[in-house]
Amino acid sequence: MSLVDESAQSDRVRDALTAAHLYYMQDLTMDAIAHELHTSRSSVSRLLSHARATGLVDIQIRSPLDAPSRLELLIQERFNITAHVVPVPDHATDVDRLERVALSVARILGQFFDSNMVMGIAWGSTMNAISRHVTPKQTHNSQIIQLNGAGNHRTTGLSYASEILGRFGYAFGAHVHQFPVPAFFDSPATKQALWRERSVLRLLEMQARMDVALFGLGSPFSEVPSHVYAGGYLEEGDYASLSRASVVGDVATVFYRADGSTDGILLNARGTGPGFEVLRQTPRRLCVVSGQAKLPSLRGALKAELITDLFVDESTARALVASI
Amino acid sequence: MSLVDESAQSDRVRDALTAAHLYYMQDLTMDAIAHELHTSRSSVSRLLSHARATGLVDIQIRSPLDAPSRLELLIQERFNITAHVVPVPDHATDVDRLERVALSVARILGQFFDSNMVMGIAWGSTMNAISRHVTPKQTHNSQIIQLNGAGNHRTTGLSYASEILGRFGYAFGAHVHQFPVPAFFDSPATKQALWRERSVLRLLEMQARMDVALFGLGSPFSEVPSHVYAGGYLEEGDYASLSRASVVGDVATVFYRADGSTDGILLNARGTGPGFEVLRQTPRRLCVVSGQAKLPSLRGALKAELITDLFVDESTARALVASI
DNA sequence: CCCCTCCTTGCACGTTTGTTCACTCGGCTT
DNA sequence: AAGCCGAGTGAACAAACGTGCAAGGAGGGG
């Protein structure tokens, strides 16, 4: 980028800031702003879009604390976590549902992440959807780390996962640390060997002291399988083994049962995600769920105490509390 | 308010919250929201207005830190305070100017005030303008206290000042503590006597430990005199005395000279505002200035180190840094 | 030096939003 | 019991807004 571009850039930012001020603080119309800024109304409209898209304008919704929705209260009481229920009409399709929850999360994420923090991020269709909408927020000295490997026997998986991570990193101005290993090793021994490599150890150490974790849930046996299950990461035998072990879901390729337990699930010895004892040390663990298909998986994750903040669509939330 | 009204109220708030979510987080159109909420588009428009007006939706503008305006930087460097420059076109009238600065301050004030805080507030045309626009924000156990008396020889001044204070108190859900004394006593002895009353002492103690002070500036000898000077609070002789003492302005009826000094200004023995040594103990001291007429007054207040955060219109800001 | 490309601009149009007005529906009074 | 009052509603209109498009301009490469 040339010097000229740079100063044009900062001009643009300054104009956007001024426009935002005039629009959101002083309630001028875009017309009036256009006049003050000596440009056209359309340009002001675009400036304001830009200001919103780049996080110069930050719009938050704050419940008066005494009025979180009934559902949020119920979930809070029953599971001792903070719930953020996303209103989605009951007749919405699962795709809509995911998209709308993801959009909401993307907008609110900045409230959980700040300078000098480390955020761990999984990958999958939910994370992908979120990543495409994250509202930027400038931070310093913050890190985004990949929670689990993404390669399979066909590709190194780098592009998909790294695109996702990259978008988060870009939005927050954070360093991105990829985890260049397969999602599942073919043999536990290989994993153990790699887990002694210094480059991997460095990453594991960062995981151990991260401030925020962001993840969706996998649900291997629902009709709408998650990315891991559709993408060729697992084979027939693996499925059978998961089924035998009564697995109901996974978080970052670590599988668990309905009661939240993980002991004796063979596949976990080959998976690359952080063990739950590591995850549970993380102060804030944001879980994003949409669609009732993930309900069993969600129940298990709650049992395992993996979640501190749950983002969930309204009807799934209702189902969660309905079914004692 | 009846029980029915109350629940209708909370229904309204819940709807407003949902609408705000759908509009600001999920980018639906009002039409779509109307459909989901089973109401008309107009109602949604009103719901959203309501949500904004009551602070359910909070819109902030955050400079990327590396790009505060040139003016803000200059002021910061030269006076060691935080400046918030409000963009106002140069050809605006002084009334416009005041109104627009006040609106901006009203919108941003919530960022400086929170639960369990004590905020001291002066009164005058600036405060009046701000009070008519404050965006509500619910707080608990917070207090608003009046910085100086408001009576004159004709009225007790309670209604004017208490309307102002009342609006702030209502917006923040804060207790309001009025200061039922005249702006200036006729004799210093009366002031000293009252200053030993327990009710007054209680107020002075609160002033001494307030967290935020909010005030405008008076400028006795400019063409556009402030409320105190127009309202019959002072008499001919007082003016002469101020003039002899080279007074350039006042903060909450405490007068000062261009160099920030107050010693030997007789009127201060009869005024009721907090002494500067008290004010300077307050962690955040927000000063709102609009119009170049107040420039000398502003310079004096800066010399006296009364200000930690300055809100000022663009052209006055420019004049402030231009003139060295 | 010219041309090509990419980015930005303002206009024109269609869409979205704010607001006025007439109306309805409880609650309270006479 | 009738009637009045105020709050809230949707329809209709007017204002404000977003966006596709063609034109213009700056930068880089041939």
Side-chain angles (χ1 to χ4, degrees), chain A residues 44-154:
Chain A
V44 174
S45 170
R46 285 186 271 254
L47 270 181
L48 288 172
S49 298
H50 178 75
R52 282 188 301 262
T54 55
L56 292 181
V57 173
D58 181 29
I59 302 185
Q60 297 183 11
I61 294 176
R62 35 183 79 243
S63 305
L65 297 173
D66 52 328
S69 78
R70 203 179 50 81
L71 275 173
E72 287 175 355
L73 265 179
L74 279 172
I75 295 178
Q76 159 100 41
E77 281 166 14
R78 190 161 314 163
F79 302 104
N80 196 28
I81 62 173
T82 304
H84 304 256
V85 172
V86 177
V88 177
D90 289 349
H91 56 76
T93 69
D94 270 352
V95 180
D96 260 19
R97 214 169 276 283
L98 172 60
E99 198 60 27
R100 291 175 62 166
V101 173
L103 194 48
S104 299
V105 173
R107 293 285 167 84
I108 216 179
L109 193 56
Q111 295 179 30
F112 294 86
F113 191 59
D114 220 323
S115 292
N116 306 309
M117 281 186 155
V118 178
M119 173 157 64
I121 297 194
W123 52 268
S125 39
T126 306
M127 290 305 113
N128 187 27
I130 297 172
S131 75
R132 272 183 285 104
H133 299 291
V134 227
T135 308
K137 160 172 174 175
Q138 278 324 297
T139 66
H140 306 295
N141 185 36
S142 53
Q143 323 285 329
I144 304 257
I145 58 179
Q146 186 173 336
L147 284 182
N148 55 326
N152 62 15
H153 57 266
R154 280 180 284 148

Side-chain angles (χ1 to χ4, degrees), chain B residues 178-182 185 188-206:
Chain B
Q178 297 193 33
F179 200 175
V181 294
F185 286 95
T190 322
K191 172 179 169 184
Q192 281 159 27
L194 259 177
W195 255 227
R196 287 189 297 268
E197 283 288 316
R198 275 181 304 175
S199 66
V200 171
L201 282 174
R202 198 180 55 85
L203 214 99
L204 296 177
E205 276 160 22
M206 289 191 75

